Amino acid sequence: MAETVLKHATKTALTLVAFAFTFTLLMTVVYQITKEPIAKSEAAARIALFQQVIAHDRYDNAVLQDTISIAPSALLGNKKPTIANIARMNAEPVAVILEAVAHDGYSGDITLLVAVNADGSLSGVRVIKHTETPGLGDYIDIAKSTWIKLFDNQSLIKTSDANWAVKKDGGAFDYMAGATITPRAVVKAVHKALQYFEANKTTLLQVIETEKVAPTEVKQDESI
């Protein structure tokens, strides 16, 4: 009787092992088949997003691969290391694409893509992730409003530090009546991103003589 139970248990165990092996092998094959198409799709989506903040005819490099590692920064709001993408024409940097996070949105973090031209002016800004209240927070989304284009061509020179605020707070930027917290957070985050660029532009705008092999790292902000 004990021998029969042992044989049954052994058979069951072997069946489970065979099933697990087959399932793992199948998942590995599926992953290998789909990995490249998924990567290409993600890259295409990222490029399309970049082209919203900097025109494609302004650069001739592989902007997805031309990156600089960004350490956690209070000015960018990134709590973990991230990357900046560098747009170049004939190896000369023309713009830097940064990610910035506003932690003081009405309903949570607001993640921004901020493209800064080599001269310190803004090429474009887009909100790429937010959880703001539908309706009140919609106007920071380019698909629903053109408000975010208020930042086009803005700079620390064009707009003084005191004016980097919504008009309700005495600043230069319009906002939707009844919804002040969201635009206030976005304006503040964009302003800080420009300050980050100004503090680190020597590193961010390095001229490359040959093809980039590994990312450069911006370790910390200079004092503002």
Side-chain angles (χ1 to χ4, degrees), residues 13-73:
L14 289 174
T15 300
L16 289 174
V17 169
F19 176 79
F21 175 78
T22 302
F23 178 77
T24 301
L25 180 62
L26 178 61
M27 292 302 294
T28 300
V29 171
V30 170
Y31 171 75
Q32 292 298 329
I33 292 174
T34 60
K35 178 174 66 174
E36 186 174 349
I38 290 174
K40 287 183 177 179
S41 177
E42 290 177 345
R46 193 71 174 166
I47 284 292
L49 186 58
F50 285 176
Q51 290 178 355
Q52 289 188 40
V53 293
I54 178 170
H56 68 88
D57 58 357
R58 292 189 58 206
Y59 60 91
D60 61 5
N61 64 318
V63 70
L64 283 179
Q65 285 73 50
D66 197 338
T67 62
I68 289 180
S69 179
I70 304 294
S73 165

Side-chain angles (χ1 to χ4, degrees), residues 101-110 131-132 181-186:
V101 182
H103 296 293
D104 47 359
Y106 182 79
S107 300
D109 291 352
I110 301 172
T131 55
E132 300 300 272
I181 295 176
T182 299
R184 180 185 286 141
V186 173

Side-chain angles (χ1 to χ4, degrees), residues 116 120 122 154-156 164 190-198:
V116 187
L122 286 166
Q154 283 286 349
S155 69
L156 296 179
W164 276 93
V190 175
H191 184 208
K192 285 185 174 181
L194 283 176
Q195 291 178 322
Y196 178 88
F197 173 85
E198 184 64 26

